[in-house]
Amino acid sequence: MEQLMEYSLLATFFLYLIAGVTFVAAMTGKGTEEEKEAHVVRWGRRGLIFAMIGAVLHVVFTVTRIFLSGHFPTSNMFEFTAFLCFAIVAAFIVIFSIYRTVALGAFVMPLAVIMLAYASVFPREVKPLIPALQSHWLGIHVTTAALGEGALAVGFVAGLIYLIRWADSHPNSRTAAYLEVVMAVILMVVAFVVLSFTFSGLDYHASFKHTVDEQEVVQEYSMPPIVGPSGGEAIQVQPFLGMERPLFDAPAWMEGEKAANKLNTVLWSVFSGLVLYGLLRLILRKRIYESMVPMVKNMDMELMDEISYRAIAIGYPVFTLGALIFAMIWAHEAWGRFWGWDPKEVWALITWLFYSAYLHLRLSRGWHGLKSSWMAVGGFVIIMLNLIAINLVLAGLHSYA
Amino acid sequence: MKNTKCGCGHNNPVGTILCEYCGKPLQEEENTDRPLEMRYEGKARRSQTQKRTVLDRVWNFFSSVKVAIYLIVITLLASILGTVFPQEGQIPSGRPDVYYAQEYGFWGDLYYQLGLSDMYSSWWYISLLAMIGISLVICSLDRVVPLYQALRRQKVTKNTAFITRQRASRTLQVSEEEKDPLLDRLAESLSKKRYNIRREGDSILAEKGRFSRWGPYINHIGLIIFLLGTLMRLIPGWHLDEAVYVREGETKKLPELNYYVKNEKAIAELYDEKENRQQASKDQPIVKKYETQVVLYEKDPETDQLERVESGPILVNEPLKYKDLLLYQADFQPNQTEAIRLSVKDKETDEKLGSFWIDLYDPEMNYEVKDGVEVQIMDYFPDFVMDGNRPTTKSEVPNRPAFIFKVTSPEEEKAEKSWMIAGTDLDDLHRDNRYKMELEKLKTVNMSGLMVRIDKSLPIIFLGLGIFMVGLSIGLFWYHRRVWIRWKEGTLYLGAHTNKNWFGLRRELEQATAAADLPFSFSPEKR
């Protein structure tokens, strides 16, 4: 049973990867217009089949995990992020069945791969539920919210494709510059995933002790220390490329329990992301988004704008239902108040307000195309902030990971 | 005053964009073929026609979607501020004025001084939400009335400029003889696509899904009900948010209510090793459940008797419900010392004289030990702390009980005074005393923290949210599609509009026209 779970997750990962590669291959066919069109259709169908098999295996993984643990697997960062990945793929399959846009797959599936890899960075073991999570709302509230976010993520990808197309014809615009920044940030997330796996593969460890509120605490590092805890003392540091001690100490106000460790991880991700970006620029000899232009050149921009809007129009009610209304019902049952201004609640509200502004701007103020696409990107950035930053940095009732 | 009389002879109110009667564009230069602005059917809204009194000004301010969006964005940005540091309700301290400065330094103190540490209940944040509420009402009213009128009084025959300037439109030369059978076929194929067909001479209006236009207004009504529901919590007696700590065996009055709760038993259960397969390697046990078995009593106002009204277990996620009252498991404090047993020893004879229990929550003052030896409590500090040179207590909970005893004996002329502070060795202090007091036993019980809640506005709040979801689904999952067809002087004009999903509309039009033997392509590039 446990092995079935592990293998189905692994197979899911590789199928999403293969689906992504297939979709990219579909968009980069050669030959005459007609040959290209036939190529897109043929390889697009194959990509969809891979994505669907992947999604089925993802369901197998989820179901076996339910059998193993006795609860719906949305109780920690690994489980939630993996489910969010599934939601993105599911939303893509729905949108694809309406619009048959192969190019969308060439971007959504790599996003799903990054998401699943990011999920796997977190502890994967099955843990029993703490009392606060023992409720059928765990499955209902979290999955509905994730499914909504999945559709919003597809809206983001369609917006991104629109922006790539737009920047292609306006290479000196601010949009082109900011689009490149978005690419660099995505690479930082990729770098984080790669680093986490590399250092856990190398079995890297370092630990420091320092005092917080007059109590001595030990911080475990899983990446070589660029920055150490303020006033910390090394207990044990494995040398890495000659690095035996932190290059500098964290500022004194960052005295949270794991603050220095988190700062260290962020620094590693940012630097390696930038290095990765530099390397890619050197290899490609053009901007990152420019290298994606051939994949989207034949996309109709108006259609992309509509897909982005449609995906958000589907995702917004589902997100509202899951992340706000079901959340309120559960909060009422568990905590005796339906709303408590917990950071995670506030960020769900912020996400909702942002997409409300998006809809009003689009429907009442006529924000289509470029502005609308940027807003789709901005919304996804907020969702990711919510997932990464709020869970890990701001502690609240929801930080179960 | 601007002339708003249309070429067709209809008089339109100021602010009208498209003629109410024939749909001809009124406010733009002629000879463009940009797609028309179809919002609110081009009708003039109240905010555009009335601009005189103060009420009109207020109305116009709140009726602007631009203002509404600004309000949303300001609320969004303000909400972010409130998550920088934890809010006062979430800090583990009852002294926010000290806590923020201590924990987060200068910025924390500033955060507190600016009132951001409790900003979600601040006057300005509440007014932002209230203004969004007002904006919801006025924006909706300002638009739904003209939209309703325009859609109800739609004319079938539209100005040809109105048709050709739709985002999806085609024209075709069709002779007089061909036109009637063609219009029949188009009407039939559109009817098969579930359009409502209206015909008038050489014109067709096909329409479906109009109800989806009411979606936004329905969801706004839902939001307004929700906001009113949250306001109703201010009605006295509608909202209660209190907490009680009850020890096992204790019966306590619920704050502000005529109810009493008795804690029969409070338990915490841990996962065993089999259930928690990862447990073997780690030493931190995981809690499986917290449970308090309670009995709820209501006090009869006449007889002052407690009457049992409800009983049962309270678990996390499973509150006890009685009428409007809800009791939640919120905190669990195991092994709270409830009473201590002290023994008294005569140091001269090295004989134990006896022992007695002291109830830490409600201690008696005098204890008779043996042979006339008596212990008297002179002072008691349940939660002992030194305030400068003065002993005092932090709370009424016996976290660190301290006593000053007076021991009187027929054999001693003077009474002896002795101190006892939990966890502190004071033997040196009492070296000259004859009678020695020693801690013999502790009696511990579990204590449950229960939340006491009443929220009578909940049904209204969830009703509002339900209506909101219905409106949202109607507005976003369905769409309003209209097709105008008109034959005029040898030309067939066909134009279509939808409020969303142009892709679907175009595909539908291609299928419908193909079925009428008129294969049009509606793909945008081939416009």
Side-chain angles (χ1 to χ4, degrees):
Chain A
M1 199 71 165
E2 212 153 323
Q3 286 205 324
L4 176 66
M5 183 179 85
E6 294 283 325
Y7 284 132
S8 53
L9 184 69
L10 199 64
T12 305
F13 179 80
F14 281 107
L15 273 157
Y16 287 167
L17 190 64
I18 294 167
V21 172
T22 314
F23 278 122
V24 171
M27 297 315 293
T28 48
K30 290 190 177 64
T32 64
E33 275 303 307
E34 274 144 39
E35 282 169 1
K36 268 189 191 167
E37 214 151 284
H39 179 88
V40 168
V41 171
R42 191 170 345 113
W43 284 87
R45 196 181 305 133
R46 287 174 194 169
L48 181 70
I49 290 170
F50 286 129
M52 283 171 107
I53 300 174
V56 168
L57 283 167
H58 207 145
V59 171
V60 171
F61 160 76
T62 309
V63 171
T64 45
R65 203 169 167 98
I66 292 174
F67 274 113
L68 275 175
S69 64
H71 61 85
F72 204 90
T74 41
S75 67
N76 59 29
M77 269 299 267
F78 161 68
E79 292 180 336
F80 176 75
T81 316
F83 191 83
L84 183 58
C85 165
F86 171 74
I88 293 173
V89 175
F92 162 69
I93 292 172
V94 170
I95 295 288
F96 187 91
S97 69
I98 305 174
Y99 292 98
R100 311 261 159 209
T101 43
V102 176
L104 201 58
F107 289 83
V108 172
M109 293 318 292
L111 177 68
V113 170
I114 295 174
M115 216 59 174
L116 200 52
Y118 177 72
S120 311
V121 169
F122 296 94
R124 264 175 302 185
E125 67 258 31
V126 176
K127 276 204 168 169
L129 286 184
I130 58 167
L133 292 178
Q134 290 167 8
S135 166
H136 53 280
W137 287 106
L138 172 68
I140 303 170
H141 149 62
V142 188
T143 48
T144 318
L147 288 171
E149 288 183 354
L152 296 173
V154 172
F156 149 74
V157 170
L160 200 65
I161 295 175
Y162 184 98
L163 291 176
I164 293 172
R165 281 274 279 132
W166 198 88
D168 183 38
S169 47
H170 304 78
N172 294 320
S173 61
R174 279 210 304 232
T175 285
Y178 285 132
L179 192 56
E180 204 55 10
V181 174
V182 171
M183 296 295 163
V185 172
I186 294 175
L187 285 175
M188 286 171 196
V189 178
V190 174
F192 167 74
V193 172
V194 172
L195 285 173
S196 302
F197 278 106
T198 312
F199 286 122
S200 81
L202 292 172
D203 205 21
Y204 186 86
H205 280 297
S207 48
F208 296 86
K209 63 177 178 196
H210 64 126
T211 49
V212 176
D213 294 340
E214 292 158 27
Q215 276 188 335
E216 192 157 276
V217 288
V218 175
Q219 284 206 36
E220 295 286 344
Y221 276 48
S222 51
M223 289 185 193
I226 299 174
V227 52
S230 167
E233 194 185 317
I235 299 174
Q236 167 249 351
V237 178
Q238 283 179 22
F240 174 76
L241 301 177
M243 261 170 72
E244 281 177 20
R245 63 175 68 85
L247 300 179
F248 60 94
D249 273 2
W253 53 268
M254 289 189 103
E255 54 170 17
E257 210 179 315
K258 288 176 184 162
N261 186 16
K262 284 169 186 166
L263 179 66
N264 188 52
T265 310
V266 169
L267 287 178
W268 265 104
S269 309
V270 170
F271 288 142
S272 332
L274 289 176
V275 169
L276 199 58
Y277 176 80
L279 281 175
L280 274 175
R281 282 293 290 264
L282 276 179
I283 296 167
L284 297 168
R285 302 219 165 259
K286 52 185 161 189
R287 286 187 255 187
I288 308 289
Y289 82 81
E290 282 173 342
S291 61
M292 297 175 176
V293 165
M295 288 197 291
V296 299
K297 212 155 48 193
N298 291 322
M299 293 309 302
D300 173 47
M301 287 176 79
E302 202 178 313
L303 180 64
M304 268 304 144
D305 183 50
E306 189 182 313
I307 293 177
S308 174
Y309 168 52
R310 194 78 190 285
I312 290 172
I314 293 172
Y316 178 78
V318 180
F319 177 81
T320 309
L321 187 66
L324 294 172
I325 298 182
F326 286 164
M328 286 186 203
I329 299 175
W330 189 11
H332 167 67
E333 275 188 15
W335 297 319
R337 84 286 185 291
F338 65 89
W339 192 261
W341 299 106
D342 169 72
K344 193 88 188 179
E345 287 175 340
V346 176
W347 276 91
L349 176 70
I350 289 168
T351 314
W352 182 80
L353 286 174
F354 184 88
Y355 281 104
S356 307
Y358 168 93
L359 288 173
H360 283 94
L361 284 168
R362 193 179 167 99
L363 298 174
S364 271
R365 309 286 311 167
W367 277 32
H368 290 251
L370 185 65
K371 288 174 177 172
S372 183
S373 300
W374 268 121
M375 287 207 73
V377 172
F380 187 69
V381 169
I382 293 181
I383 292 176
M384 284 297 106
L385 271 181
N386 207 345
L387 177 71
I388 299 172
I390 312 307
N391 263 339
L392 303 182
V393 182
L394 297 174
L397 287 171
H398 277 80
S399 28
Y400 297 117
Chain B
M1 189 136 150
K2 244 163 61 186
N3 182 14
T4 49
K5 188 164 174 165
C6 176
C8 71
H10 185 81
N11 268 315
N12 292 295
V14 179
T16 307
I17 300 168
L18 304 173
C19 172
E20 287 175 349
Y21 190 80
C22 70
K24 190 178 167 199
L26 294 176
Q27 285 193 337
E28 298 172 9
E29 68 288 10
E30 307 255 323
N31 303 329
T32 77
D33 60 349
R34 264 188 320 126
L36 282 180
E37 184 53 71
M38 289 287 287
R39 270 179 270 144
Y40 319 117
E41 304 297 298
K43 275 275 276 186
R45 292 176 275 120
R46 184 191 190 278
S47 57
Q48 291 162 326
T49 53
Q50 308 285 320
K51 285 181 182 163
R52 260 160 287 161
T53 63
V54 179
L55 178 74
D56 289 337
R57 294 239 178 84
V58 173
W59 180 280
N60 293 352
F61 176 77
F62 281 110
S63 72
S64 156
V65 175
K66 204 173 180 175
V67 169
I69 294 169
Y70 272 118
L71 288 173
I72 292 176
V73 172
I74 293 169
T75 311
L76 187 159
L77 295 175
S79 307
I80 294 178
L81 269 184
T83 63
V84 174
F85 295 127
Q87 292 287 298
E88 280 176 29
Q90 287 144 5
I91 57 171
S93 156
R95 295 282 307 274
D97 49 333
V98 186
Y99 180 83
Y100 285 93
Q102 201 174 49
E103 198 73 2
Y104 306 105
F106 170 74
W107 294 108
D109 197 38
L110 187 70
Y111 197 73
Y112 174 77
Q113 298 297 340
L114 289 175
L116 296 176
S117 58
D118 195 19
M119 59 159 272
Y120 297 115
S121 46
S122 66
W123 62 269
W124 58 269
Y125 193 82
I126 305 272
S127 357
L128 268 176
L129 296 182
M131 276 162 79
I132 288 183
I134 295 170
S135 162
L136 274 171
V137 176
I138 295 184
C139 271
S140 304
L141 285 178
D142 197 46
R143 284 165 177 77
V144 74
V145 175
L147 182 68
Y148 176 76
Q149 289 171 345
L151 288 177
R152 215 171 62 126
R153 295 185 201 143
Q154 279 185 92
K155 293 286 173 288
V156 176
T157 308
K158 288 282 180 184
N159 186 295
T160 53
F162 175 86
I163 300 181
T164 53
R165 285 187 53 196
Q166 294 298 327
R167 254 171 83 187
S169 84
R170 290 289 178 273
T171 51
L172 185 76
Q173 300 301 316
V174 174
S175 67
E176 181 122 34
E177 305 85 65
E178 290 172 308
K179 75 161 199 221
D180 276 324
L182 181 61
L183 286 176
D184 287 343
R185 288 201 305 274
L186 280 169
E188 202 201 320
S189 66
L190 283 169
S191 170
K192 274 191 186 142
K193 293 270 177 200
R194 293 175 195 198
Y195 280 84
N196 290 317
I197 309 289
R198 283 169 66 196
R199 257 185 101 160
E200 200 179 275
D202 292 334
S203 295
I204 296 176
L205 167 61
E207 180 177 15
K208 74 174 175 186
R210 188 196 287 181
F211 75 103
S212 93
R213 295 293 286 272
W214 312 128
Y217 307 102
I218 296 172
N219 81 43
H220 285 176
I221 290 170
L223 281 180
I224 292 161
I225 294 175
F226 169 80
L227 288 173
L228 287 179
T230 58
L231 275 185
M232 282 179 185
R233 302 166 77 176
L234 300 175
I235 300 172
W238 275 50
H239 185 71
L240 180 75
D241 176 3
E242 292 285 349
V244 280
Y245 278 89
V246 201
R247 283 169 291 133
E248 282 175 310
E250 187 189 17
T251 304
K252 227 178 189 174
K253 183 180 183 303
L254 298 184
E256 293 179 42
L257 295 170
N258 208 19
Y259 292 113
Y260 288 73
V261 70
K262 181 179 183 197
N263 181 344
E264 302 248 276
K265 197 171 166 60
I267 37 175
E269 213 175 281
L270 300 177
Y271 283 104
D272 60 34
E273 258 169 56
K274 210 178 99 227
E275 287 167 311
N276 185 4
R277 299 169 314 136
Q278 310 301 322
Q279 208 59 96
S281 57
K282 290 174 190 159
D283 44 8
Q284 210 179 27
I286 299 179
V287 175
K288 187 176 180 180
K289 75 171 176 189
Y290 294 116
E291 181 180 332
T292 310
Q293 286 156 14
V294 298
V295 181
L296 187 70
Y297 300 96
E298 190 170 8
K299 194 176 206 171
D300 190 314
E302 280 164 24
T303 60
D304 264 9
Q305 292 285 311
L306 290 186
E307 229 173 286
R308 185 184 172 117
V309 289
E310 186 69 88
S311 66
I314 301 178
L315 287 102
V316 183
N317 274 311
E318 288 171 42
L320 182 88
K321 195 166 163 38
Y322 177 71
K323 291 184 183 164
D324 286 325
L325 175 72
L326 285 159
L327 292 177
Y328 291 85
Q329 179 75 41
D331 195 4
F332 183 86
Q333 299 195 347
N335 306 328
Q336 298 291 303
T337 311
E338 186 180 49
I340 53 174
R341 192 177 167 86
L342 295 182
S343 65
V344 183
K345 201 170 86 176
D346 187 342
K347 280 200 275 192
E348 269 178 25
T349 58
D350 209 21
E351 179 201 4
K352 188 180 148 187
L353 295 176
S355 54
F356 54 92
W357 281 104
I358 302 179
D359 183 342
L360 292 179
Y361 285 88
D362 186 17
E364 282 176 42
M365 285 298 125
N366 290 298
Y367 301 87
E368 171 83 46
V369 186
K370 196 186 175 187
D371 302 336
V373 178
E374 229 180 70
V375 178
Q376 195 185 348
I377 298 179
M378 292 175 67
D379 218 338
Y380 170 45
F381 310 98
D383 199 355
F384 174 78
V385 69
M386 287 300 287
D387 182 14
N389 282 326
R390 208 171 53 87
T392 181
T393 185
K394 269 195 293 189
S395 69
E396 293 308 306
V397 185
N399 292 322
R400 195 187 177 201
F403 294 93
I404 305 173
F405 295 114
K406 193 167 92 179
V407 186
T408 48
S409 158
E411 292 173 30
E412 293 285 321
E413 257 175 52
K414 260 174 69 185
E416 276 181 16
K417 208 171 145 187
S418 69
W419 272 84
M420 174 169 269
I421 303 169
T424 315
D425 185 8
L426 298 172
D427 281 354
D428 285 354
L429 197 68
H430 305 125
R431 205 173 297 139
D432 303 334
N433 279 3
R434 177 173 170 184
Y435 297 101
K436 190 183 174 193
M437 323 263 284
E438 270 178 332
L439 182 65
E440 208 176 63
K441 245 186 205 166
L442 294 170
K443 187 176 163 204
T444 61
V445 289
N446 295 334
M447 183 158 77
S448 276
L450 300 177
M451 274 192 294
V452 185
R453 294 287 161 101
I454 290 178
D455 204 341
K456 290 191 184 172
S457 58
L458 270 182
I460 297 165
I461 285 173
F462 284 113
L463 172 78
L465 290 174
I467 293 175
F468 175 68
M469 267 322 290
V470 169
L472 214 53
S473 309
I474 289 176
L476 290 174
F477 294 151
W478 275 272
Y479 21 77
H480 182 211
R481 289 176 179 174
R482 273 174 301 168
V483 184
W484 296 274
I485 301 170
R486 184 176 177 187
W487 183 87
K488 192 185 175 191
E489 291 155 9
T491 310
L492 182 82
Y493 301 88
L494 191 154
H497 181 76
T498 180
N499 57 344
K500 68 180 66 70
N501 191 7
W502 286 88
F503 179 81
L505 174 70
R506 291 196 170 103
R507 199 171 45 187
E508 194 168 65
L509 285 179
E510 282 171 8
Q511 290 165 355
T513 49
D517 299 325
L518 187 77
F520 272 143
S521 165
F522 283 90
S523 67
E525 5 7 324
K526 289 167 196 156
R527 190 188 160 92

